[in-house]
Amino acid sequence: MSRGTVVISLDAELGWGFHDHESLPTERVAGARGAWRFLVDLFEEHEIPATWAVVGHLFLAECDGVHADHPAGPEWFARDPGARYDAGGTVDPNGEPDSRSHWFGRDLIDAIRGGDVDHEIASHTFSHVEFGKSDTSREVAAAELRRSVAAAAERGVELESIVFPRNRVGHRALLRDHGFSCYRGRAPNRWYDGRPLRRPGKLATYALGAAGPPIVEPTVDEYGLVNVPASLYLYAFDGAARDAIEALSEDPVGRQVRLGLERLRDRNRGVFHLWLHPNNVVTARDRERLARIVSTIASYRDEYGIGVDTVSGVAAAEGAR
């Protein structure tokens, strides 16, 4: 990379991010649609392109809720209610919006594509299968890729990048055959990871700001794919610890973002790759965090010439080197 670049990627999944959990986190799922639109507007306001890694099922116009021909089996789709889609989202027979809208998202995908900012739409698999799990077969992974590509193509979207659900990278050998050229890799370990005092080490890092997040370098892997690793999950530090630090100082994640931007500016190369889910920003407080972060990124872009790009944009630049 010729200069420092910020990448923002989003795991855009609605209910699919939790469908294999024992119970759904009600607030996050119910608020995800509004959060998605908030983010589209926020990025539009600051002219910030992002990589939206969308679960392929969200592209569908309708489904039977069973997907009997999918090799993952019907139990995997047990929460899929089946529905049809119209321009306002999924509807019940009386024309009223209902909870089935957690599983379909053509209107939200159209919102990403409808503005002036040149976002990337990437894959988050078809139904949020974890490719890196030992029991995820090659057959299931191939079906997830094939269906994602087909569903996106019906809406005129060509997928280049993939974000693996829960960051569990796997079955990379299949990606090229389905048209993918790059992916978001796992973040490098920070100094406290894998240590007995991991929790206090993380607390000290976020509280004191003594160590900023990593600036990463894209690499070409053994399959010819460009790995654009993550740097920082924007909602990895919350709860009581966040409350305590903010009472005395500032948002600890906002501080980490600023430290990363300063390091990127000083190095003038590399990638600062931030990521989140739309369902992370369902409360006013979390939206305020994102608004501050995006505004800060825009100011570093405007004042210092830091680049802002998508995963596929960074990958294309790396491939051209």
Side-chain angles (χ1 to χ4, degrees):
M1 302 296 295
S2 60
R3 61 174 180 169
T5 303
V6 174
V7 171
I8 302 174
S9 58
L10 301 103
D11 299 19
E13 52 200 33
L14 299 185
W16 289 100
F18 308 99
H19 78 104
D20 55 337
H21 288 191
E22 184 174 345
S23 60
L24 301 181
T26 305
E27 183 181 22
R28 289 181 67 181
V29 172
R33 282 183 152 270
W36 189 312
R37 292 187 179 278
F38 162 78
L39 288 163
V40 169
D41 291 343
L42 179 64
F43 293 141
E44 188 79 13
E45 177 186 353
H46 294 282
E47 300 180 325
I48 296 288
T51 294
W52 296 77
V54 179
V55 167
H57 194 286
L58 300 181
F59 285 92
L60 298 185
E62 62 182 352
C63 82
D64 61 6
V66 179
H67 303 281
D69 58 344
H70 192 294
E75 289 186 5
W76 178 249
F77 293 96
R79 275 206 169 97
D80 182 354
R84 64 181 177 83
Y85 173 93
D86 72 9
T90 54
V91 296
D92 69 13
N94 297 317
E96 296 297 327
D98 65 23
S99 62
R100 288 177 293 179
S101 65
H102 302 331
W103 310 95
F104 296 83
R106 280 193 170 191
D107 55 317
L108 299 176
I109 295 165
D110 290 345
I112 297 171
R113 305 174 71 194
D116 295 329
V117 177
D118 191 16
H119 294 294
E120 175 185 11
I121 296 180
S123 177
H124 200 37
T125 76
F126 178 75
S127 60
H128 209 260
V129 167
E130 293 183 39
F131 276 31
K133 289 184 69 174
S134 60
D135 60 351
T136 298
S137 69
R138 180 183 178 90
E139 181 187 17
V140 168
E144 287 283 296
L145 295 173
R146 184 172 59 252
R147 287 166 183 258
S148 294
V149 170
E154 286 188 4
R155 300 297 286 173
V157 175
E158 182 177 353
L159 303 174
E160 298 180 57
S161 306
I162 186 168
V163 168
F164 294 96
R166 299 182 185 134
N167 294 306
R168 300 191 70 166
V169 176
H171 293 288
R172 287 176 294 138
L174 296 173
L175 297 184
R176 276 284 182 192
D177 291 342
H178 291 85
F180 293 93
S181 61
C182 48
Y183 60 95
R184 186 181 78 201
R186 290 182 61 86
N189 284 342
R190 301 189 70 171
W191 70 268
Y192 47 76
D193 288 326
R195 295 174 180 264
L197 299 178
R198 179 185 180 278
R199 287 189 177 182
K202 181 178 180 180
L203 177 61
T205 296
Y206 279 82
L208 302 176
I215 304 302
V216 299
E217 295 286 348
T219 59
V220 179
D221 71 12
E222 64 269 36
Y223 301 103
L225 303 161
V226 180
N227 173 12
V228 184
S231 298
L232 181 67
Y233 175 38
L234 293 176
Y235 290 86
F237 194 87
D238 279 297
R242 174 186 175 184
D243 295 342
I245 293 170
E246 284 190 352
L248 299 173
S249 179
E250 62 178 311
D251 175 13
V253 172
R255 181 192 289 119
Q256 286 286 300
V257 170
R258 192 175 65 253
L259 289 170
L261 289 169
E262 290 173 358
R263 181 180 293 178
L264 191 67
R265 176 198 61 196
D266 294 343
R267 289 180 52 165
N268 201 33
R269 64 180 178 85
V271 173
F272 187 31
H273 189 170
L274 310 173
W275 71 279
L276 71 153
H277 311 83
N279 62 49
N280 288 130
V281 290
V282 300
T283 69
R285 185 186 188 196
D286 288 326
R287 292 185 181 193
E288 288 167 5
R289 167 185 279 179
L290 239 293
R292 287 193 301 268
I293 287 172
V294 171
S295 176
T296 301
I297 292 168
S299 69
Y300 272 75
R301 175 198 60 197
D302 297 343
E303 186 171 354
Y304 301 112
I306 285 174
V308 183
D309 209 342
T310 61
V311 171
S312 64
V314 166
E318 178 65 21
R321 290 181 60 181

